[in-house]
């Protein structure tokens, strides 16, 4: 609608069990129908990043209104 090719959403370090955050992210995904959805995580947390990705992905799938459901396509690990 706004002519954007890329949308970056920063969850400001909020965790995957934050229900209002997950509903808001799911709404953004459902409204914008992205071709690619990436999860960006902190590499220094180790396996916790994969755990966070799994939980985010599960909630995105549960809240998706599309068939097949939207899901996270990949992970980018950063070291800041």
């Amino acid at each position: 609608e706004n002519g954007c090719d890329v949308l970056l959403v920063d969850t400001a370090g909020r965790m995957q069990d934050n229900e209002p955050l997950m509903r808001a992210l799911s709404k953004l995904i459902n409204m914008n129908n992205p071709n690619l959805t990436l999860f960006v995580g902190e590499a220094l947390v180790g396996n916790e990043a994969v755990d966070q990705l799994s939980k985010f992905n599960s909630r995105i799938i549960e809240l998706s209104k599309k068939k097949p459901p939207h899901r996270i396509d990949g992970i980018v690990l950063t070291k800041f």
Side-chain angles (χ1 to χ4, degrees):
E1 185 177 300
N2 292 329
C4 295
D5 291 330
V6 175
L7 172 66
L8 299 174
V9 179
D10 184 354
T11 63
R14 286 180 249 162
M15 298 303 292
Q16 62 278 3
D17 56 357
N18 183 316
E19 187 63 24
L21 168 68
M22 293 309 302
R23 290 195 179 280
L25 288 174
S26 181
K27 184 176 179 181
L28 278 173
I29 291 171
N30 287 321
M31 286 175 45
N32 292 291
N33 195 25
N35 293 324
L36 181 68
T37 304
L38 297 175
F39 175 86
V40 179
E42 171 64 53
L44 297 176
V45 300
N47 289 340
E48 178 65 21
V50 176
D51 215 26
Q52 289 174 0
L53 168 65
S54 296
K55 290 177 181 177
F56 265 103
N57 195 46
S58 293
R59 288 301 289 147
I60 293 299
I61 291 169
E62 288 172 15
L63 296 169
S64 179
K65 295 180 179 176
K66 294 192 65 135
K67 300 291 181 208
H70 269 296
R71 59 187 71 232
I72 296 174
D73 299 302
I75 185 171
V76 177
L77 296 175
T78 65
K79 180 180 160 195
F80 188 74

